[in-house]
Amino acid sequence: MKIKLVNDNITSDYTKNLLRSRGVDNIDDFLSPSEKNLQSWEDLDNIKLGVDLVKNTINDKKPYAILIDPDNDGFTSFAILYQYLKRLNPEKEIEYFVHSAKQHGLEDTYQVFQDKEYSVVFLPDSSSNDGVFAKEINAPICVIDHHEIDNEPSDNMIVINNQSSAKYKNKYLSGAGMVWQFCRAMDYYFGHEWAYDYTDLAAVGICGDAMSGLEIENQYIWSYGFSHINNFFLKTLIDKQNFSMKGIVNPTTVAFYISPLLNAVTRVGTTEEKLHMAEAFINGEKLIPSNKKGHKGELVALAAEATRECVNAKSRQARILDNIEEKIDIKINKKDLLINKVLFVELDDDDDFPSTLNGLLATRLTNKYSRPAIVARANDDGYIRGSARAIKTENMDSFKQYLEESEMFEYVLGHPLAFGCSISSYNLDKFFSYSNDSLKDVELGEKCYSVNFIRDAMDNDIDNLIRDVGEYGYIWSNQNDEPTLYIDNIILSTNEIQIIGTNRDTVKFTKNGITYIKFKANELIDELSGMKNIIMKIVGRCNINEWNGIKNPQIIIDDYEIIDNMYGF
């Protein structure tokens, strides 16, 4: 098991010192953020122009139009904006549109807005770079976005974007956060206090788009939003996932149990399911006939029906991926693709599945074959475009940077280990030669764990460490990862190990007053078979288990190594 301590050895004030090592200055504000930590909406360029556009059109007879970007952040951005505008004028007609697949922006939809005269076309969470298409629409366009801007806007566009606003410091505010700030500006000009009613949606959008948890503004929106769940559809989703979430709503539980449901609909859902989900966000209590087997025709809340469809979409997505993975495995072996250090799967006509699943498939292949993977498909222009994934290892902490430095890719866009990419078919063989040569002596298969604390099992501060870190579960998120610890030299007799749970697949033991627990531990259980004494080392996370008002420190085991200590004593 390879580990790397990524900060100083912290021996006191564990959480606060860890945050300091991550660049957080005002620790007390960060742990208890307030409204003072919000940046003024006035620092966003063009926001007053956007508000004026609403003021001048909210009461005219022409409808508004909103294009929903096909992801978690896009749907929550839409929901905030739609509901606020409807409160300004309940009689105002507002039409909304979803993409047929998971395309972003105007390229595949701009013609829709040419069929009718709109007072404003709103483009939340998208289209900052779509001036070439926007100019074909005969209506004012209001873009409220957070993506980098590379192209000039058309004359009919108002672009409100934190990336291009020099005074706005938080470049990790997502589309939903930007729309929420726009609503705060409308509060000021229209004399209302409505924006905070939608903070829950902003919080989910920021979380779903994996924005940085080191931004104190994001921490405040999460803190307020997740403690004030107002949206009926969100309440329904959280109720559905309550067992898994254990009644806790924070960036981690939302990222693991809410965002995947919403994203499954955007990836594999039908147009009807996407529209159901959109309407559930804005009118979740509406009664509609159920399509549930055995209950068809019964009136149920739209939020409940949409939640059922989200769950079904996630299951359907898993089944599709299982089927795809089986076929791709055959292709990998047939074409001897594992001869290369980077697994590059070029899809063809026989690989009939949505491109929205490329990233998930690449993740599975990376984990299975212990190497970086790219899943892509050639287009008519000679470019092979798709998704790339890699695991963080001792020798590679950014696959994205590696591809950039090759200077062979048209683009690589996204996160260090998960991103989209495009390469000319002309460069593909060159890339194989380059990567096979440059990585020939590099071990890419064994994962290297970045840990924040290293301890021996008998160290006397583990209890304090767990209690300190475990109390702050609400702040951990993307770029402010939940702390991990490495515990060495756990000497055990197998008689000390319990196998528990309904499915008898959970391992639990206690050492030096600390409880260790491993879920879905069938592999570990098999390894322990026949052993009497072992030495274990683990990588895990701090957790506080509360029962009957008593809080007990425990470590959730993520990975482990065991040595048969047959002759130990």
Side-chain angles (χ1 to χ4, degrees), residues 355-367:
S355 61
T356 53
L357 298 181
N358 285 353
L360 295 177
L361 177 60
T363 297
R364 288 193 176 195
L365 297 178
T366 293
N367 292 329

Side-chain angles (χ1 to χ4, degrees), residues 453-466 485-492 496 509-516 534-538 555:
F453 305 98
I454 295 177
R455 294 292 186 272
D456 183 273
M458 299 308 291
D459 284 348
N460 58 15
D461 75 332
I462 298 177
D463 183 291
N464 291 336
L465 191 162
I466 296 171
L485 64 164
Y486 171 76
I487 308 291
D488 195 6
N489 202 33
I490 306 170
I491 301 174
L492 293 168
E496 299 176 79
F509 58 87
T510 300
K511 194 69 178 178
N512 196 26
I514 304 299
T515 297
Y516 296 77
I534 64 167
I535 300 174
M536 179 181 286
K537 55 184 72 175
I538 67 98
I555 294 175

Side-chain angles (χ1 to χ4, degrees), residues 251-432:
T252 300
T253 60
V254 168
F256 274 96
Y257 301 112
I258 301 300
S259 295
L261 295 180
L262 302 175
N263 286 332
V265 172
T266 66
R267 289 191 179 107
V268 301
T270 64
T271 298
E272 182 182 15
E273 287 170 336
K274 293 174 187 176
L275 289 171
H276 263 174
M277 188 165 79
E279 190 177 2
F281 270 118
I282 61 176
N283 195 14
E285 295 179 78
K286 173 184 174 182
L287 295 178
I288 65 167
S290 173
N291 278 319
K292 184 177 180 180
K293 187 176 180 180
H295 298 271
K296 287 188 181 295
E298 294 180 12
L299 291 180
V300 296
L302 173 56
E305 184 72 358
T307 295
R308 185 184 66 80
E309 290 174 346
C310 286
V311 171
N312 289 347
K314 188 170 183 293
S315 298
R316 187 163 69 247
Q317 174 180 276
R319 290 194 300 272
I320 294 171
L321 277 170
D322 288 343
N323 184 50
I324 295 167
E325 186 178 356
E326 185 177 336
K327 293 179 179 178
I328 294 299
D329 283 341
I330 295 171
K331 172 179 285 194
I332 289 169
N333 290 314
K334 184 177 180 180
K335 295 192 174 183
D336 202 18
L337 299 183
L338 295 176
I339 197 172
N340 295 312
K341 297 289 283 188
V342 173
L343 175 58
F344 195 110
V345 179
E346 184 176 351
L347 304 173
D348 53 40
D349 291 341
D350 293 332
D351 303 313
D352 185 19
F353 63 90
S355 61
T356 53
L357 298 181
N358 285 353
L360 295 177
L361 177 60
T363 297
R364 288 193 176 195
L365 297 178
T366 293
N367 292 329
K368 175 181 284 189
Y369 293 108
S370 300
R371 67 190 66 200
I374 297 173
V375 176
R377 191 183 298 270
N379 65 15
D380 293 337
D381 298 321
Y383 286 95
I384 308 170
R385 293 174 175 167
S387 298
R389 297 292 187 270
I391 57 174
K392 189 173 185 178
T393 68
E394 187 176 23
N395 300 299
M396 181 180 290
D397 57 11
S398 176
F399 186 40
K400 175 175 177 284
Q401 181 179 344
Y402 176 79
L403 296 191
E404 287 173 333
E405 290 174 349
S406 76
E407 298 184 348
M408 296 182 194
F409 282 74
E410 179 195 14
Y411 63 75
V412 285
L413 299 171
H415 303 289
L417 299 170
F419 52 91
C421 61
S422 172
I423 186 171
S424 167
S425 56
Y426 174 78
N427 282 334
L428 191 55
D429 286 338
K430 293 181 184 177
F431 173 70
F432 288 144

Side-chain angles (χ1 to χ4, degrees), residues 117-340:
E117 193 173 356
Y118 296 100
S119 56
V120 181
V121 174
F122 290 96
L123 303 173
D125 190 38
S126 76
S127 305
S128 289
N129 293 297
D130 285 351
V132 66
F133 306 109
K135 68 182 181 182
E136 302 298 326
I137 300 171
N138 186 29
I141 292 175
C142 184
V143 171
I144 310 170
D145 193 18
H146 70 113
H147 296 97
E148 294 282 354
I149 299 179
D150 299 316
N151 302 324
E152 288 295 318
S154 58
D155 292 339
N156 61 334
M157 292 173 72
I158 294 171
V159 178
I160 305 165
N161 189 312
N162 54 334
Q163 306 301 329
S164 59
S165 299
K167 293 182 180 179
Y168 207 86
K169 297 178 182 178
N170 182 9
K171 303 303 181 183
Y172 290 97
L173 190 65
S174 74
M178 287 293 297
V179 172
W180 186 73
Q181 283 283 43
F182 183 65
C183 291
R184 292 183 70 225
M186 289 195 288
D187 272 354
Y188 178 82
Y189 283 103
F190 287 102
H192 299 303
E193 294 182 352
W194 296 344
Y196 272 85
D197 294 342
Y198 311 112
T199 317
D200 54 347
L201 292 167
V204 171
I206 294 167
C207 181
D209 230 34
M211 296 291 99
S212 174
L214 292 174
E215 292 289 344
I216 195 168
E217 181 170 66
N218 292 348
Q219 286 288 343
Y220 173 68
I221 294 172
W222 284 332
S223 174
Y224 187 92
F226 290 144
S227 60
H228 295 79
I229 303 293
N230 298 318
N231 186 270
F232 188 75
F233 181 39
L234 281 186
K235 287 181 180 178
T236 307
L237 287 168
I238 291 168
D239 285 345
K240 177 67 178 178
Q241 299 291 74
N242 186 62
F243 178 79
S244 297
M245 296 173 75
K246 297 180 173 61
I248 298 170
V249 185
N250 63 31
T252 300
T253 60
V254 168
F256 274 96
Y257 301 112
I258 301 300
S259 295
L261 295 180
L262 302 175
N263 286 332
V265 172
T266 66
R267 289 191 179 107
V268 301
T270 64
T271 298
E272 182 182 15
E273 287 170 336
K274 293 174 187 176
L275 289 171
H276 263 174
M277 188 165 79
E279 190 177 2
F281 270 118
I282 61 176
N283 195 14
E285 295 179 78
K286 173 184 174 182
L287 295 178
I288 65 167
S290 173
N291 278 319
K292 184 177 180 180
K293 187 176 180 180
H295 298 271
K296 287 188 181 295
E298 294 180 12
L299 291 180
V300 296
L302 173 56
E305 184 72 358
T307 295
R308 185 184 66 80
E309 290 174 346
C310 286
V311 171
N312 289 347
K314 188 170 183 293
S315 298
R316 187 163 69 247
Q317 174 180 276
R319 290 194 300 272
I320 294 171
L321 277 170
D322 288 343
N323 184 50
I324 295 167
E325 186 178 356
E326 185 177 336
K327 293 179 179 178
I328 294 299
D329 283 341
I330 295 171
K331 172 179 285 194
I332 289 169
N333 290 314
K334 184 177 180 180
K335 295 192 174 183
D336 202 18
L337 299 183
L338 295 176
I339 197 172
N340 295 312

